[in-house]
Amino acid sequence: MTRLWGVRPRWRTDVLGDFFCPGCGGDRNYRRQHGRRWLRLLGTPVVPLGPVIGSVQCTSCHGRYGVESLEQPTCVRLGAMLRDAQYTIALALLAAGGTAHRAAREAACTAVREAGFEDCGEAQVLAALAALSGLGGELHDAHGMSGGLAVELHAVLEPLTPHLAHQGRERLLLQGAAIALADGRYLPQEREALAAVGRCLDLPQPRVGALLEAATRAPY
Ligand SMILES: [Zn+2]
């Protein structure tokens, strides 16, 4: 039964897109809407009242959420970010340790393939490394990494960090450690590269040190 009088908003859709719905817990389509509250007579809007705050509606569960829900990456996006992170860490560690050892090249290529770049062979990895190391010319940051790789590491890891649990961030660091350890003990440049990875992932420095030590005792 429609009540005689009532106040309900009337929504207008601004944008459509996909997001991670906090209600459904998965990737869904959304409508981003703004609205105005209306005084209704028998359900028909008759008098406009104040505007209501913009919101996002899931087209599956019809739940309404604040626009800040769009900041959470979709599962597809998060997967791609994670893949890029694994790839970039592998390149950074290979660059730090040098490409002379076959074991290091193989460990880096395995990490890249496991990240989801299944068709990526050693030639592609080395070409990508050369391209990134070349960026920034001879400029190296304080930690010995080429400018291009250091920038790439920040650009790829920092947006991902807030969306990963502690274990996920530690796992990324350990994947880098495995590449560094593939051709023997950590070189000073490899430690520096791993420290840079730890900083980008917002891991406390003592924890990074402990994880790197533990990795030497339990090799991949
Ligand atoms: Zn939903």
Side-chain angles (χ1 to χ4, degrees):
M1 274 256 300
T2 309
R3 284 183 304 157
L4 187 59
W5 290 99
V7 174
R8 270 201 306 122
R10 180 195 239 178
W11 295 99
R12 289 187 193 283
T13 298
D14 301 319
V15 197
L16 300 166
D18 47 315
F19 80 138
F20 181 86
C21 174
C24 303
D27 292 356
R28 300 286 185 266
N29 294 314
Y30 72 81
R31 307 182 187 97
R32 187 180 165 162
Q33 298 177 312
H34 72 276
R36 180 171 279 280
R37 290 181 309 130
W38 283 79
L39 183 64
R40 292 164 186 261
L41 174 60
L42 290 170
T44 306
V46 285
V47 180
L49 304 171
V52 289
I53 206 154
S55 73
V56 170
Q57 186 183 35
C58 171
T59 60
S60 297
C61 69
H62 300 287
R64 273 193 188 282
Y65 310 97
V67 288
E68 69 280 357
S69 62
L70 299 182
E71 287 163 23
Q72 175 72 22
T74 61
C75 296
V76 170
R77 176 80 194 111
L78 196 61
M81 288 163 88
L82 202 52
R83 214 171 52 209
D84 289 347
Q86 285 172 272
Y87 178 77
T88 311
I89 289 172
L91 289 189
L93 267 299
L94 190 57
T99 53
H101 284 87
R102 212 182 77 172
R105 294 198 305 270
E106 278 176 3
C109 290
T110 303
V112 166
R113 275 195 297 273
E114 280 175 359
F117 299 96
E118 276 142 30
D119 303 328
C120 199
E122 191 175 300
Q124 285 100 319
V125 169
L126 292 178
L129 190 61
L132 274 171
S133 302
L135 285 177
E138 292 306 298
L139 272 180
H140 286 64
D141 75 356
H143 307 289
M145 218 184 314
S146 81
L149 264 172
V151 167
E152 190 69 8
L153 213 50
H154 283 273
V156 168
L157 295 186
E158 281 170 1
L160 173 66
T161 296
H163 304 294
L164 286 186
H166 220 86
Q167 296 93 315
R169 288 184 274 141
E170 292 187 351
R171 201 176 130 75
L172 281 174
L173 179 77
L174 288 173
Q175 285 171 344
I179 296 167
L181 291 170
D183 56 359
R185 293 187 303 166
Y186 296 119
L187 300 172
Q189 312 89 282
E190 289 173 332
R191 276 195 177 278
E192 292 295 353
L194 289 166
V197 169
R199 282 193 299 275
C200 292
L201 291 170
D202 204 17
L203 291 169
Q205 217 178 337
R207 182 66 184 151
V208 169
L211 284 167
L212 296 186
E213 277 319 303
T216 61
R217 290 192 297 274
Y220 252 52

